[in-house]
């Protein structure tokens, strides 16, 4: 099993020093202005897989892809490990099982967007399914839980990796980020907390990729399951 999982010109919303563009590729999406969507399979019912294929999909529709990144953990066949909702259809059920690996480091959680264009990150025990959810992806572990860093993270941990994640800021905007260098989970969680996210979710590790042309960061490879996109 691999661990996985999408932003606009971040400098429009936060000063560059706050977003730390030297160490992170980051994007802040405003659902009042941008479309944030999740994608798994193409019209041929095959997983998109790479950010290149996802970008081509938007180009065919004459839409501009502003930001994209992998968006949730997946099995070898690219099926989501946990909950996945796309266009209001539940494709994969909520996973409350116990197991090994980052996904099962409790609590894990869900990032979702409802039909009122509001985004949320909730721990799995707190998450409630309802018909208003348009997009959702489950991953883990939670990075920030109600304003506090996950209690199992250690500040000086030597478990370093490239990492990507997603959080919701106090004003409802979505912060998506990937580290440019290897960091531990505590450092990565601190980044979201520093930028005001009361809840944030880990998406994936060393396989993570991001596409952010505004920052001249275009990683178009990968072989993913779910991906998150920001587009016009």
């Amino acid at each position: 099993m691999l661990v996985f999982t999408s932003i606009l010109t971040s400098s429009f919303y936060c000063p560059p020093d706050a977003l730390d563009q030297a160490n992170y590729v980051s994007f802040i999406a405003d659902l009042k202005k941008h479309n944030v969507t999740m994608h798994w399979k193409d019209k041929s019912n095959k997983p998109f897989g790479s950010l290149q294929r996802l970008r081509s999909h938007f180009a065919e529709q004459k839409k501009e892809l502003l930001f994209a990144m992998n968006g949730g953990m997946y099995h070898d066949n690219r099926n989501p490990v946990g909950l996945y909702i796309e266009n209001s259809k539940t494709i994969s059920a909520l996973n409350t099982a116990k197991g090994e690996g980052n996904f099962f480091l409790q609590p894990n959680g869900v990032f979702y967007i409802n039909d009122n264009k509001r985004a949320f990150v909730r721990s799995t025990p707190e998450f409630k399914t309802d018909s208003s959810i348009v997009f959702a992806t489950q991953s883990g572990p939670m990075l920030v839980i109600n304003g506090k860093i996950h209690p199992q993270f250690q500040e000086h941990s030597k478990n370093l990796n490239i990492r990507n994640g997603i959080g919701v800021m106090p004003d409802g905007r979505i912060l998506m980020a990937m580290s440019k260098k290897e960091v531990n989970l505590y450092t990565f969680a601190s980044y979201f907390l520093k930028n005001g996210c009361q809840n944030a979710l880990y998406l994936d590790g060393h396989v993570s990729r991001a596409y952010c042309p505004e920052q001249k960061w275009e990683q178009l490879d990968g072989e993913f399951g779910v991906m998150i996109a920001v587009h016009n």
Side-chain angles (χ1 to χ4, degrees):
M1 181 186 76
L2 299 176
V3 180
F4 261 59
T5 134
S6 130
I7 104 184
L8 187 184
T9 307
S10 54
S11 58
F12 287 177
Y13 303 103
C14 286
D17 57 335
L19 283 175
D20 190 4
Q21 292 183 9
N23 295 308
Y24 295 92
V25 181
S26 58
F27 193 95
I28 296 176
D30 186 341
L31 290 173
K32 296 177 182 178
K33 301 177 181 179
H34 309 110
N35 296 301
V36 178
T37 54
M38 298 180 192
H39 304 267
W40 179 34
K41 291 185 175 182
D42 62 19
K43 58 186 178 183
S44 301
N45 203 35
K46 295 180 180 179
F48 281 103
S50 70
L51 294 177
Q52 173 65 65
R53 290 188 64 202
L54 185 64
R55 185 176 71 168
S56 297
H57 167 74
F58 281 100
E60 290 172 2
Q61 297 184 3
K62 301 188 184 306
K63 296 179 180 179
E64 182 183 6
L65 183 61
L66 302 172
F67 181 92
M69 67 181 182
N70 49 297
M73 301 182 183
Y74 56 92
H75 296 290
D76 290 342
N77 61 4
R78 308 302 178 216
N79 289 353
V81 172
L83 177 71
Y84 180 56
I85 297 174
E86 182 177 324
N87 293 320
S88 302
K89 180 181 179 180
T90 300
I91 296 172
S92 179
L94 190 72
N95 187 338
T96 58
K98 295 181 179 179
E100 300 295 326
N102 286 328
F103 182 90
F104 297 103
L105 180 56
Q106 301 300 324
N108 53 24
V110 179
F111 166 73
Y112 63 100
I113 298 171
N114 67 17
D115 54 13
N116 286 324
K117 287 199 166 186
R118 294 186 62 193
F120 303 86
V121 172
R122 294 283 186 268
S123 68
T124 296
E126 294 179 341
F127 174 76
K128 304 295 181 185
T129 298
D130 67 66
S131 60
S132 72
I133 297 174
V134 181
F135 293 99
T137 184
Q138 183 182 9
S139 192
M142 290 285 288
L143 295 169
V144 181
I145 309 164
N146 298 324
K148 296 182 179 180
I149 293 174
H150 193 296
Q152 294 192 47
F153 296 170
Q154 298 179 3
E155 184 174 2
H156 302 292
S157 170
K158 301 299 183 184
N159 180 14
L160 307 179
N161 225 325
I162 298 295
R163 305 181 187 278
N164 76 306
I166 194 162
V168 178
M169 304 174 78
D171 60 5
R173 290 177 297 153
I174 304 165
L175 172 59
M176 293 164 273
M178 186 188 79
S179 64
K180 294 181 178 179
K181 62 181 182 180
E182 295 181 341
V183 295
N184 64 34
L185 285 167
Y186 187 96
T187 298
F188 192 49
S190 297
Y191 174 79
F192 285 91
L193 188 60
K194 177 180 68 175
N195 284 288
C197 297
Q198 293 296 295
N199 290 282
L201 180 65
Y202 181 69
L203 294 175
D204 209 349
H206 71 283
V207 302
S208 298
R209 299 288 188 273
Y211 172 77
C212 189
E214 174 63 29
Q215 296 180 25
K216 296 181 170 54
W217 188 277
E218 301 187 16
Q219 294 177 310
L220 294 169
D221 59 335
E223 190 57 47
F224 304 127
V226 175
M227 291 178 283
I228 302 174
V230 183
H231 54 98
N232 57 15

